[in-house]
Amino acid sequence: MIELDQIREQLKIDDEDVSDPILQRLLGAALRWIENRTNRKLYPGDVELPADAPANALLMDDGIELAALLLIGHWASNPSDTSEAKLESIPNGAASLVAPYRWFYDC
């Protein structure tokens, strides 16, 4: 699982720059974005899947964690939908990192 210290290191920010609740909210949003994009249920990579895990369960690995960190960095740098500055879209790197994990299921 991604720790707040890892997020701070990725963003190159100090403890006082962004509060823990904000970072946790960004982390939760990034993981939900990845789950929605891949149709997967994410589980921490350092544990075994539970016996009742769904068929689309996915243990988080470096690629998933990096995608989450990229998303968090993007949202932290672009906290509003609009601004006077150039609008930025979701980084293609995050989408490219999660694409191979997409779950296709029979309907």
Side-chain angles (χ1 to χ4, degrees):
M1 187 54 115
I2 300 171
E3 300 295 331
L4 296 183
D5 289 342
Q6 291 174 288
I7 297 171
R8 283 193 167 84
E9 184 177 350
Q10 176 77 16
L11 300 180
K12 296 178 176 44
I13 57 174
D14 294 322
D15 289 350
E16 63 274 359
D17 291 340
V18 180
S19 69
D20 286 355
I22 295 293
L23 291 180
Q24 289 168 336
R25 186 176 305 137
L26 291 170
L27 175 58
L31 296 178
R32 279 188 302 281
W33 185 91
I34 293 168
E35 285 182 334
N36 289 332
R37 189 80 160 190
T38 61
N39 294 319
R40 298 285 205 140
K41 173 66 177 148
L42 296 178
Y43 288 88
D46 56 353
V47 300
E48 288 190 32
L49 286 176
D52 62 345
N56 67 339
L58 177 65
L59 290 174
M60 291 176 37
D61 64 8
D62 291 342
I64 295 294
E65 289 185 4
L66 180 57
L69 290 169
L70 288 172
L71 289 168
I72 292 166
H74 171 74
W75 292 330
S77 297
N78 302 283
S80 300
D81 279 345
T82 60
S83 70
E84 293 179 19
K86 183 179 94 174
L87 293 178
E88 299 289 335
S89 62
I90 297 296
N92 287 332
S96 297
L97 284 166
V98 301
Y101 299 98
R102 183 141 169 82
W103 174 263
F104 296 98
Y105 50 88
D106 296 326
C107 295

